[in-house]
Amino acid sequence: QVTLKESGPVLVKPTETLTLTCTVSGFSLSNARMGVSWIRQPPGKALEWLAHIFSNDEKSYSTSLKSRLTISKDTSKSQVVLTMTNMDPVDTATYYCARVYYYDSSGSQNDAFDIWGQGTMVTVSS
Amino acid sequence: EIVLTQSPATLSLSPGERATLSCRASQSVSSYLAWYQQKPGQAPRLLIYDASNRATGIPARFSGSGSGTDFTLTISSLEPEDFAVYYCQQRSNWPPLYTFGQGTKLEIK
């Protein structure tokens, strides 16, 4: 059974750095047909993609948040870590990690977030 | 960066009716579009990938169509559990940047 689970602080102060961990099971982070992304959702608002890491360790970031984000993985621990610097109250949201499955082995854009974690709510407040 | 625009923002229908949700891309995404369902307090669930392929375990009443810039998610006969928010999503080729639409809320009339 494939699962992803987010963990991290519930509350952070403005200007602090947020570190979130996604622990996966049921698949390997070295599998070339899969990757992991972080996505967030402010209360009552739409989904916003943040960052993605491929099995070969290549990374991609949201254009608007790129300067504040770092994504990394530890394949041996089955963990993907996201750090976001200089947190602000507008960053209050539920943060999800999700597996990306590449339906084509050719490396095309034919992929989707097929399995999601339950999400973790992060509040930014002093 | 590709922008996805979903319409309508809210759709009010009754169980048993047919639902048609739209997603328009600001430039062609070929067939590389996915649809998700999200219920309150839950993570999104993948319904459709590659515009028209149902994900594992998704009932046949859900179908997707379209290519290029215009896509549709159709629910042939609404069940009570289908009332939720639906999002479309795409990925640009390189760099791989993912975007979501703003969502359509399907509510009971």
Side-chain angles (χ1 to χ4, degrees):
Chain A
Q1 182 187 6
V2 174
T3 64
L4 299 92
K5 187 170 184 178
E6 306 88 351
S7 59
V10 174
L11 180 66
V12 297
K13 291 182 168 54
T15 75
E16 287 186 339
T17 293
L18 171 68
T19 299
L20 295 173
T21 300
C22 176
T23 303
V24 310
S25 64
F27 72 99
S28 172
L29 296 175
S30 63
N31 189 323
R33 296 294 292 268
M34 301 164 192
V36 173
S37 271
W38 284 94
I39 297 143
R40 71 179 179 180
Q41 185 173 39
K45 296 189 176 181
L47 300 165
E48 178 183 22
W49 172 77
L50 300 176
H52 180 76
I53 191 162
F54 292 85
S55 59
N56 64 1
D57 218 37
E58 284 199 74
K59 297 146 189 173
S60 181
Y61 297 99
S62 162
T63 303
S64 61
L65 293 168
K66 186 172 184 177
S67 63
R68 299 174 53 206
L69 296 173
T70 302
I71 191 171
S72 62
K73 66 181 174 77
D74 185 330
T75 301
S76 64
K77 292 184 178 179
S78 295
Q79 292 182 333
V80 176
V81 175
L82 180 76
T83 61
M84 180 181 290
T85 61
N86 195 24
M87 293 291 285
D88 183 272
V90 300
D91 297 314
T92 294
T94 297
Y95 286 76
Y96 296 99
C97 60
R99 187 180 79 169
V100 176
Y101 187 83
Y102 312 120
Y103 294 98
D104 288 339
S105 57
S106 63
S108 73
Q109 301 128 273
N110 188 7
D111 59 26
F113 303 110
D114 69 330
I115 308 291
W116 294 64
Q118 63 190 21
T120 184
M121 178 66 191
V122 177
T123 300
V124 184
S125 175
S126 55
Chain B
E1 196 163 315
I2 297 174
V3 175
L4 298 178
T5 302
Q6 293 186 240
S7 61
T10 303
L11 184 59
S12 300
L13 294 171
S14 300
E17 291 193 292
R18 182 185 186 88
T20 302
L21 288 66
S22 175
C23 178
R24 175 164 290 178
S26 59
Q27 58 186 270
S28 177
V29 297
S30 185
S31 64
Y32 303 131
L33 189 102
W35 290 94
Y36 302 83
Q37 175 194 67
Q38 187 179 33
K39 297 179 180 180
Q42 296 184 16
R45 177 176 70 147
L46 175 65
L47 298 175
I48 302 286
Y49 65 93
D50 198 22
S52 62
N53 293 285
R54 276 190 301 276
T56 303
I58 301 303
R61 64 181 183 273
F62 291 91
S63 64
S65 63
S67 66
T69 60
D70 291 305
F71 298 86
T72 301
L73 174 69
T74 302
I75 310 171
S76 59
S77 179
L78 286 165
E79 297 287 342
E81 62 268 28
D82 298 337
F83 292 92
V85 179
Y86 292 82
Y87 294 96
C88 57
Q89 170 263 317
Q90 68 81 38
R91 193 203 99 177
S92 60
N93 191 12
W94 203 266
L97 304 176
Y98 295 87
T99 54
F100 290 90
Q102 81 278 20
T104 290
K105 182 179 182 181
L106 178 57
E107 64 177 25
I108 300 176
K109 187 173 182 180

